[in-house]
Amino acid sequence: MDDVAVGPLDLAARVDDALAVQALAFGLSDDEIAVRRHIVLRHLGCPGARALGATTPAGRLVGFVYGMPNDRAHWWSTVVEPYLRCQGLDHWLDDSFVITELHVHPAYQNRGIGRTLITRITDGATEPRSILSAIDTDSPARALYHSLGYEDLARRVLFPSAPTPYAVMGAPLPLKRP
């Protein structure tokens, strides 16, 4: 990670760079990128929303994370709430910092960039816990989240626009360190 700096990111100004990273990591189409662009810009207007980026010395964005204090009225919360309620865990939606997106360019993965991004953004949270959703499969991302103390709160969560089930995960803050 010596060649990458992590710090505050003006996500509104670099939204297209960030979505290019997300598109590579997730294999998004141009139409999906356009929808996500609108969502990201809307999220940035939410109270407490903030972002961090990972950039090369030349200024190339190779990773980013953004999140905000969770709001039960937001779309994501309304989708995951019934799944959490079934587990008796819907209280996780209150007083939590939600990791909305975390992506690292595939060529820069496995260097600790994702770990640095998520721990730094949550270290700045005033909430006592963090929640997120991740594709519900054994993946390097889920392994990272588990290593940081995130536990599965609900699995097989279906989002209307996603063909793949997700897991909702939560962790007390600060996150575990190796």
Side-chain angles (χ1 to χ4, degrees):
M1 213 182 96
D2 296 337
D3 60 336
V4 175
V6 171
L9 174 66
D10 180 350
L11 187 52
R14 305 234 18 214
V15 66
D16 294 323
D17 296 336
L19 289 174
V21 171
Q22 185 175 2
L24 278 174
F26 257 38
L28 301 176
S29 70
D30 289 344
D31 288 343
E32 290 170 313
I33 292 168
V35 169
R36 288 176 187 254
R37 185 178 200 281
H38 173 74
I39 292 168
V40 170
L41 293 174
R42 184 173 32 105
H43 282 160
L44 293 176
C46 295
R50 51 193 171 39
L52 296 176
T55 55
T56 66
R60 178 179 177 208
L61 188 69
V62 296
F64 75 101
V65 63
Y66 83 93
M68 65 197 84
N70 193 53
D71 181 336
R72 279 184 179 252
H74 289 166
W75 177 83
W76 182 86
S77 289
T78 65
V79 173
V80 304
E81 190 270 339
Y83 294 91
L84 293 174
R85 188 173 1 96
C86 284
Q87 303 295 323
L89 297 171
D90 61 312
H91 63 277
W92 273 85
L93 294 172
D94 301 317
D95 212 17
S96 292
F97 186 83
V98 64
I99 300 298
T100 309
E101 298 289 351
L102 169 62
H103 300 285
V104 176
H105 188 289
Y108 287 82
Q109 291 176 1
N110 301 310
R111 296 187 189 188
I113 295 169
R115 177 180 302 275
T116 300
L117 286 165
I118 195 169
T119 55
R120 287 202 189 156
I121 200 163
T122 57
D123 281 351
T126 58
E127 296 76 17
R129 57 187 167 222
S130 173
I131 55 176
L132 56 80
S133 56
I135 294 176
D136 193 1
T137 186
D138 289 332
S139 65
R142 293 230 324 129
L144 168 65
Y145 302 144
H146 283 299
S147 76
L148 293 166
Y150 284 91
E151 295 183 10
D152 294 337
L153 303 175
R155 304 219 29 211
R156 312 295 301 165
V157 174
L158 298 174
F159 289 98
S161 58
T164 311
Y166 278 70
V168 176
M169 304 176 76
L173 294 179
L175 296 176
K176 287 182 184 175
R177 299 308 202 266

